[in-house]
Amino acid sequence: MKQTLAAFAATLGLAGTALAQTDLPFALDWKFEGPSAPYFVAIDKGFFEAADLSVEISAGQGSLDAIPKVATGAFPVGFADINSLITFLDQNPGAPVTAVMMVYDKPPFAIIGRKSLGVNVPKDLEGRVLGAPPPDGAWAQFPAFAIANDLDVDAITVEPVGFPTREPMLAEGNVAAVTGFSFSSYLNLVRLGVPEDDISTILMADYGLALYGNAIIANTDYAAANPEVIKGFIGAIAAGWKDSIADPASAIESLIERNPAADAELEQRRLELSIDANVATDYVMENGMGGIDADRMATALEQVALTYEFQNTPDASLYFTDAYLPDASMRMLK
């Protein structure tokens, strides 16, 4: 059942109030594609407005892009890969940024290959060329993935590629596989004419990685000074995702309004893929959106440490806080 604006406002205790709206710039990780639709739904359905927020959303250039934007205070909130945040905070101790809401409970980090080029499972990468954009979040996790799957990395030829050329190179057979987000690279290949039955999607989370994915991040100085703003923002995002899960086609209308050149049918599939594989996991459906499991995070940090040498002792409390999460009832997706 969709959550009405009046009901959402009531849960925030704002019904009947008329407060001045707070401007809140929000930095995304990537372009305006299907998985970003829920944030525009939160604008169009008035969920941000109910929290007395005026949110302006900016596109990004990769899953690491928002971290320095938020850490410097250029944006109070953003959307970024928590694993990249972990290493950023280790290299920049004390930087005022942390994750406040997990969105991709199961990360979309993947190896996307062509079956016709011999890539079906992780071991098939040996002896073949892997295309990887250096700033790519999935590429950042590849070393841990390689260890978990006992890959001979010396037998894999890595070709640095740009984001715009990644899928075209795979479609043309210049590489046998690429690193990327599962829902993005898969559908980009479909759009380029690669038959779907020739595409293999090797999701790293299905092959040994306990890592989390992208999360809402906040500037900690801003959050400490404006806790109710962050709490209201998170509640509105949860409502946007809930509405989008209930009616993906309507959610894509909000996206197309901001990106008229996008293919509505393809972006709806991209949104639905992200919902099914990354957002609406069993854990989230039972516990609500936004939180993390402490034991799983401890395992994830151990896996990060397999390929990254921490300068400081890893501390999960530096990378994620649930202090701003609204009550679980406001974060349930069903």
Side-chain angles (χ1 to χ4, degrees):
M1 180 182 297
K2 294 184 184 179
Q3 186 173 29
T4 66
L5 174 57
F8 180 68
T11 62
L12 288 177
L14 296 172
T17 63
L19 303 177
Q21 289 190 345
T22 298
D23 292 332
L24 195 69
F26 177 36
L28 284 183
D29 61 329
W30 192 234
K31 299 177 289 187
F32 294 169
E33 295 183 340
S36 61
Y39 311 116
F40 297 116
V41 168
I43 292 176
D44 294 345
K45 296 294 179 72
F47 299 140
F48 288 132
E49 182 182 359
D52 292 303
L53 300 176
S54 176
V55 175
E56 181 178 351
I57 301 174
S58 297
Q61 298 180 9
S63 54
L64 292 69
D65 188 55
I67 296 173
K69 292 178 180 177
V70 174
T72 59
F75 285 79
V77 287
F79 186 56
D81 168 38
I82 194 170
N83 306 288
S84 300
L85 176 65
I86 289 167
T87 56
F88 175 86
L89 284 171
D90 184 59
Q91 295 162 13
N92 300 274
V97 56
T98 193
V100 294
M101 178 191 195
M102 186 55 59
V103 176
Y104 293 156
D105 181 65
K106 188 175 184 178
F109 308 135
I111 304 297
I112 302 90
R114 296 276 301 278
K115 296 177 183 178
S116 60
L117 298 177
V119 177
N120 292 278
V121 296
K123 274 289 185 182
D124 293 336
L125 294 173
E126 295 177 358
R128 293 182 170 85
V129 180
L130 173 68
D136 178 43
W139 169 243
Q141 312 317 320
F142 184 80
F145 170 78
I147 290 174
N149 291 277
D150 193 28
L151 298 184
D152 179 0
V153 293
D154 291 334
I156 302 171
T157 301
V158 178
E159 177 77 20
V161 298
F163 286 120
T165 60
R166 172 174 52 190
E167 288 84 16
M169 288 187 69
L170 181 55
E172 293 164 6
N174 294 324
V175 296
V178 296
T179 64
F181 276 19
S182 53
F183 49 73
S184 289
S185 289
Y186 181 92
L187 290 178
N188 288 346
L189 288 171
V190 172
R191 185 171 54 188
L192 290 169
V194 178
E196 293 194 44
D197 60 5
D198 187 34
I199 303 172
S200 57
T201 302
I202 303 171
L203 202 61
M204 293 184 182
D206 291 337
Y207 286 88
L209 292 196
L211 306 179
Y212 282 97
N214 278 38
I216 301 298
I217 62 174
N219 180 280
T220 53
D221 294 337
Y222 182 91
N226 303 275
E228 294 306 313
V229 169
I230 301 301
K231 186 174 181 178
F233 179 71
I234 290 173
I237 284 179
W241 273 101
K242 181 177 181 179
D243 200 276
S244 299
I245 290 169
D247 190 353
S250 177
I252 292 303
E253 291 178 9
S254 290
L255 174 77
I256 296 300
E257 192 173 317
R258 279 79 179 185
N259 184 6
D263 181 325
E265 182 178 352
L266 183 138
E267 294 308 330
Q268 183 175 334
R269 285 197 64 192
R270 199 188 308 272
L271 171 61
E272 291 170 342
L273 285 172
S274 71
I275 290 170
D276 293 342
N278 312 115
V279 177
T281 64
D282 291 343
Y283 179 86
V284 168
M285 298 310 289
E286 181 177 346
N287 297 283
M289 184 180 188
I292 64 171
D293 177 81
D295 290 340
R296 178 181 163 191
M297 176 57 85
T299 300
L301 289 175
E302 291 174 359
Q303 290 185 329
V304 171
L306 289 174
T307 57
Y308 174 78
E309 185 175 350
F310 279 93
Q311 300 174 20
N312 305 283
T313 303
D315 181 353
S317 67
L318 296 175
Y319 320 130
F320 181 89
T321 178
D322 61 5
Y324 304 101
L325 289 179
D327 184 80
S329 63
M330 283 186 60
R331 299 181 281 110
M332 300 304 294
L333 299 181
K334 58 182 177 181

